[in-house]
Amino acid sequence: MPLIGLGTYSFPNDRNTTELAIHNALQIGYRHFDTAKIYGSEPAVGKALNDAIFDGVVEREDIFLTSKLWGSDHHDPVSALKRTLQNLGMEYLDMYLVHWPVKLKPWVNYPVPNEDDFENLDFEVTWAGMEKCLEMGLCRSIGVSNFSSKKIHWLLDFASTPPAVNQVEMHPMWRQEKLRETCGDHKIHVSAYSPLGGPGNAWGSTAVVHNPIIKSIAFKHKATPAQVALQWGLSRGSSMIVKSFNKERMKENMTSFDLKLSEEDIMEIQKLEQMKIMRGEFLVNDTTSPYKTIGDLWDDEI
C-alpha cells in the first residue's frame, strides 16, 4: 500500500473536478486512491484511472484502489462490491473496507441516516460476506474503518481472515496511541483519514494546521504545517489519506516524505491537547441505533 493516498470525498460531488484531480495526482506520482460507495465518486475515479491505463500513463498493477461497504449493504457485501466494481470499471479492488460498524436498511443510500434507518448489526454475517469477496477474487484484501480497539478484539474473536487495515481519523491532535498499539499487536495496518484534521470538509477543522506548535515546527524546517502533520503520521508507521484537489497542495503533500522530524519535534507534538473531529454523532441516537451515546460508538476511546 503506497503510504500517501488521495481521498476522493468531496461536496458537492463534481465528476469533472474529481477526474481532473485524479489525472493531476497520477502526474505528480500518486498511486493510492481512496473512494467509497457513499462518496458518489466511484464512477469518476474509475473513469480517470481507466483512461490513464488506456493511455499508458500507469499500469493497473501499479495502482492501489480502496473502496468501502456502506451500512445499507451489510446483508450482502458480495453484491455491493460487484456494484462498486461496475461503477469503477475494474475487475478487482486492492482493499475493501467496512465503512462503519453500523447496519442500515437496504435503501439508505445517503450519508446521514434518519432515526428509523438503523438495523441490528450481526457483524459475523457481514465479515463472512467480506471474506467471501476475498475468496472470489473481487478484492485483494479486506479491512475495516472507524473501529475502536475493543471492536478490533471483538472482530478477531470470530474472523477467519483478520482485517489487513483499520482506517481511522488520526493526526497530531488525535494520535490514536491505544488503537495503534492494538493494531500493531495483530499486524493490522493503521491508515489515517483526515490526517490534517479535515479542513475544507463541512465537519472538519483547521485546528491542526493552525496549531501554534505545528506552525513553529514547520517554520523551523522551512516546511508547511500540512507537511509536518503528514510526516508525523508517516513516522508513526501509518499511511495518510489526504483530500486536496488543489494541484500545488497535492505536490506539497507528496513531498512530506522529504521532511525529517527530530525527537524534540515528536515530543512537542505528543504534548498537544487531543481533539477528535469526526465524532460520528449522526450514527448515535437513544432509540434505534445500537449506539446510544458517542461513548458507545467508540467504546469510550474518545
Side-chain angles (χ1 to χ4, degrees):
M1 175 190 288
L3 289 176
I4 291 187
L6 184 71
T8 61
Y9 169 79
S10 65
F11 183 82
N13 183 30
D14 183 298
R15 181 165 181 160
N16 290 335
T17 300
T18 302
E19 287 184 26
L20 178 60
I22 300 288
H23 171 79
N24 288 336
L26 286 166
Q27 297 296 330
I28 292 165
Y30 286 79
R31 294 296 181 265
H32 180 180
F33 298 93
D34 182 274
T35 183
K37 171 187 173 176
I38 204 63
Y39 297 169
S41 61
E42 288 175 340
V45 171
K47 172 72 162 53
L49 291 177
N50 278 302
D51 284 351
I53 291 167
F54 181 80
D55 292 340
V57 173
V58 68
E59 301 287 335
R60 171 64 183 94
E61 293 72 25
D62 297 328
I63 293 169
F64 193 95
L65 183 57
T66 296
S67 194
K68 306 177 191 78
L69 178 85
W70 184 236
S72 58
D73 295 316
H74 277 246
H75 64 288
D76 191 358
V78 170
S79 294
L81 179 47
K82 285 181 177 178
R83 286 191 294 272
T84 278
L85 292 173
Q86 187 174 25
N87 286 339
L88 289 163
M90 296 286 178
E91 294 183 356
Y92 67 91
L93 286 180
D94 297 279
M95 179 68 66
Y96 195 39
L97 304 177
V98 178
H99 207 149
W100 288 91
V102 173
K103 184 179 181 182
L104 303 171
K105 291 177 178 174
W107 57 83
V108 182
N109 293 317
Y110 36 86
V112 180
N114 299 313
E115 189 169 357
D116 59 353
D117 287 340
F118 294 86
E119 291 195 341
N120 291 328
L121 173 63
D122 184 343
F123 202 73
E124 292 190 41
V125 172
T126 301
W127 196 249
M130 296 292 286
E131 291 174 333
K132 186 69 174 175
C133 291
L134 192 61
E135 292 165 15
M136 293 174 66
L138 301 175
C139 56
R140 298 284 172 87
S141 48
I142 53 177
V144 294
S145 183
N146 297 301
F147 266 49
S148 65
S149 297
K150 183 176 179 179
K151 287 184 177 66
I152 289 291
H153 286 299
W154 166 60
L155 171 55
L156 292 172
D157 282 343
F158 57 79
S160 298
T161 302
V165 163
N166 187 14
Q167 188 184 111
V168 294
E169 178 186 343
M170 178 180 145
H171 46 72
M173 297 181 70
W174 191 249
R175 295 182 288 278
Q176 296 280 18
E177 284 97 342
K178 179 179 180 181
L179 184 66
R180 285 190 284 115
E181 182 179 356
T182 297
C183 290
D185 288 345
H186 298 283
K187 296 180 171 57
I188 299 167
H189 176 75
V190 175
S191 188
Y193 71 74
S194 299
L196 307 180
N201 287 328
W203 52 266
S205 169
T206 59
V208 175
V209 292
H210 287 174
N211 183 276
I213 299 298
I214 299 294
K215 291 172 77 172
S216 172
I217 294 170
F219 181 78
K220 181 174 78 172
H221 290 284
K222 297 185 170 124
T224 66
Q227 289 171 328
V228 171
L230 292 175
Q231 178 51 227
W232 173 84
L234 293 167
S235 72
R236 304 301 91 187
S238 295
S239 54
M240 304 284 105
I241 307 300
V242 288
K243 200 237 80 180
S244 176
F245 287 0
N246 177 285
K247 191 171 183 179
E248 292 310 308
R249 284 199 292 270
M250 283 196 278
K251 290 179 182 176
E252 174 188 303
N253 292 338
M254 188 58 86
T255 57
S256 301
F257 290 110
D258 300 333
L259 175 63
K260 301 301 176 195
L261 298 178
S262 67
E263 283 300 314
E264 180 186 359
D265 297 332
I266 298 295
M267 291 302 296
E268 286 298 307
I269 289 171
Q270 288 299 112
K271 296 175 187 175
L272 294 179
E273 182 180 358
Q274 300 228 49
M275 178 182 75
K276 182 154 180 48
I277 297 168
M278 169 50 86
R279 296 171 60 83
E281 289 97 338
F282 63 100
L283 297 174
V284 172
N285 68 62
D286 58 10
T287 55
T288 58
S289 172
Y291 309 112
K292 308 306 179 191
T293 67
I294 292 291
D296 291 343
L297 177 60
W298 302 107
D299 299 302
D300 295 318
E301 297 173 25
I302 189 170

